[in-house]
Amino acid sequence: MTDISHWQGFDIIGDVHGCARTLEKLLEQMGYARVGGVWRHPQRQALFLGDIIDRGPRIREALLLVRDMVEAGSARCIMGNHEFNALGWFTPAPPGSGQAYVREHTDRNLRQIQATLEQFEGYAAEWDEFLDWFWTLPLFLDAGEFRLVHACWDHQVIETFASQYPDATPDVEFLQASVERDSFADQVFDRLLRGIGMHLPHGLKMKGGDGVVRGMFRTKFWEESPETYGDLVFQPDALPEHIAIRPLTYRQKRELLFYGVDEPLLFVGHYWQQGRPQPLRPNLACLDYSAVKYGRLVAYRWSGEERVLPDHFVWVDVK
C-alpha cells in the first residue's frame, strides 16, 4: 500500500496523449508552478493515470514534463495501455511464439504508435531512456483511501500479480509471457489496462468512431443488476438498438466483475468520456475525457473525502 501521509492532497490526471500545452494549463490552473524546470505544488502531488504518449501533437514534451515531475517527487504515474503497447512494440517475442515482437508490427498497431515514433525521430537515445522509464511504471496504485488503475480494478488479478511483483511493475519475462493468449500475464495487462470486454452475439462486428472494426465492446465493471447488453456498455460508441435490448444470459451475469459500492474510491482513465466530468458512482470516476480529440483534459482534486465530489473535478477544454 502506498504511503500518502506526506501530502495534503492529490491531483489525479486523466489521459494526456501528447497534449503537453494543455497539461501545463491544467497544472497552472491547479496552483502548480515550474520551479527549477519542474512543475511542482507546495502541498499536493499529481498522479497520472497513464497514456502520456501517442496521438497528440507534443508527445515528447509531455513525456519530459511528466517524467521530470515523477523523478523530482512532485508526481507519480501508473502505466497505461499505450505505454504497455510501446514496450511490446520494441520487446522481442519469446522463441517459438510465432511472432517477432510482443506487439505485432501490423498496420493497425503502427497507426497507434506512429505519432510517437515520428516525434522522436532524431531523439533515439532519449526515446530509449523513456522506454526504460516505462518499465518503472506500476500497473496500479493502492493508497488505501483511494485506488488508481488505467482501466479496471480486478481484486483477484491484482492480488495474484502483487504476490509476484510487490512493486506492481512487470518485468521483461512477464511482458513476453503475455504473448500467450489467455495466459495470466495476458489477463493482467488486458484487464487492468484495457478493461473488460464482451463479445457481440452471433459473431457480429461493429465499426467504432475510431474507424476500427471490432467484434466486442467495453463493459462496466460496477453495474449491480444488469439485464441487457445496453446496461453494460461503457464506451463512446453506442450499441445498435437490436443488440442493446438483448437480454444477458444467466451465465453472462454470473461471470461479470463487480466493484462494490463500499470499496475505496477508484479513479480510471482510458474510456473516452464526453460532456461535463462527473462521478460514475459515489466511489468511482473516469478522468479520460478525450483531450486529444478536442475534448477536455480532466483532473480530480482529492483532499481526503470518502466520496467522489462533483465540484472536485477540474479541466481544460482543448481548442
Side-chain angles (χ1 to χ4, degrees):
M1 194 168 292
T2 302
D3 180 22
I4 61 174
S5 58
H6 178 65
W7 302 95
Q8 291 183 12
F10 296 90
D11 300 310
I12 305 158
I13 300 173
D15 305 30
V16 175
H17 280 307
C19 297
R21 288 188 182 175
T22 306
L23 176 56
E24 289 179 338
K25 290 178 183 177
L26 180 64
L27 290 169
E28 193 172 65
Q29 184 175 310
M30 294 190 295
Y32 289 73
R34 196 187 289 272
V35 179
V38 178
W39 287 87
R40 309 171 192 264
H41 192 285
Q43 291 96 28
R44 302 175 67 86
Q45 188 181 49
L47 304 176
F48 291 93
L49 288 168
D51 278 9
I52 310 302
I53 66 170
D54 293 344
R55 296 196 171 113
R58 295 176 180 85
I59 296 163
R60 178 172 170 264
E61 291 88 338
L63 275 175
L64 287 165
L65 188 158
V66 174
R67 186 195 60 184
D68 288 351
M69 288 183 71
V70 171
E71 292 187 345
S74 63
R76 276 177 277 185
C77 182
I78 62 173
M79 187 181 293
N81 61 299
H82 284 258
E83 286 78 33
F84 163 73
N85 290 345
L87 289 174
W89 183 266
F90 288 96
T91 300
S97 63
Q99 57 192 68
Y101 292 92
V102 170
R103 184 161 175 82
E104 294 187 275
H105 289 192
T106 63
D107 289 343
R108 175 183 169 183
N109 291 344
L110 176 60
R111 283 195 297 272
Q112 200 169 60
I113 198 174
Q114 193 152 18
T116 298
L117 299 179
E118 288 174 354
Q119 291 177 41
F120 273 93
E121 287 180 4
Y123 300 95
E126 192 176 82
W127 174 242
D128 286 342
E129 290 177 6
F130 280 119
L131 286 172
D132 288 341
W133 181 64
F134 292 166
W135 287 111
T136 71
L137 302 180
L139 299 187
F140 61 88
L141 186 153
D142 188 345
E145 296 176 71
F146 65 85
R147 295 164 170 166
L148 311 182
V149 70
H150 186 66
C152 174
W153 191 276
D154 184 318
H155 289 286
Q156 187 173 352
V157 167
I158 284 174
E159 286 177 11
T160 305
F161 175 71
S163 69
Q164 302 174 32
Y165 297 89
D167 60 358
T169 56
D171 56 22
V172 174
E173 289 74 24
F174 195 80
L175 185 83
Q176 289 176 320
S178 69
V179 167
E180 184 181 342
R181 197 67 183 269
D182 298 324
S183 65
F184 177 65
D186 178 50
Q187 187 181 9
V188 167
F189 291 121
D190 193 53
R191 182 64 54 89
L192 304 189
L193 303 187
R194 297 192 182 98
I196 300 176
M198 181 174 284
H199 289 285
L200 295 168
H202 309 306
L204 293 173
K205 301 202 180 285
M206 59 180 286
K207 188 174 185 178
D210 56 2
V212 177
V213 176
R214 297 181 177 90
M216 59 174 292
F217 63 99
R218 292 295 173 192
T219 64
K220 300 172 183 174
F221 54 91
W222 60 90
E223 193 68 28
E224 198 155 5
S225 302
E227 296 296 333
T228 66
Y229 278 62
D231 291 337
L232 285 179
V233 65
F234 188 58
Q235 59 184 30
D237 302 307
L239 296 178
E241 182 61 22
H242 69 284
I243 294 177
I245 63 174
R246 183 183 178 90
L248 297 167
T249 66
Y250 170 74
R251 181 177 178 180
Q252 285 173 320
K253 292 180 185 178
R254 188 182 61 189
E255 292 176 351
L256 290 173
L257 185 68
F258 179 64
Y259 191 82
V261 293
D262 296 324
E263 301 277 4
L265 302 189
L266 176 63
F267 297 94
V268 301
H270 188 61
Y271 293 101
W272 298 85
Q273 294 294 281
Q274 298 171 346
R276 183 182 179 88
Q278 58 186 330
L280 295 170
R281 256 192 4 192
N283 67 333
L284 177 62
C286 175
L287 301 181
D288 178 13
Y289 277 77
S290 311
V292 75
K293 295 290 186 182
Y294 305 104
R296 290 167 167 162
L297 185 60
V298 177
Y300 182 86
R301 311 205 75 186
W302 185 82
S303 299
E305 64 273 13
E306 296 181 355
R307 287 290 178 259
V308 181
L309 302 176
D311 61 352
H312 282 215
F313 289 87
V314 296
W315 61 83
V316 172
D317 291 312
V318 182
K319 304 299 182 183

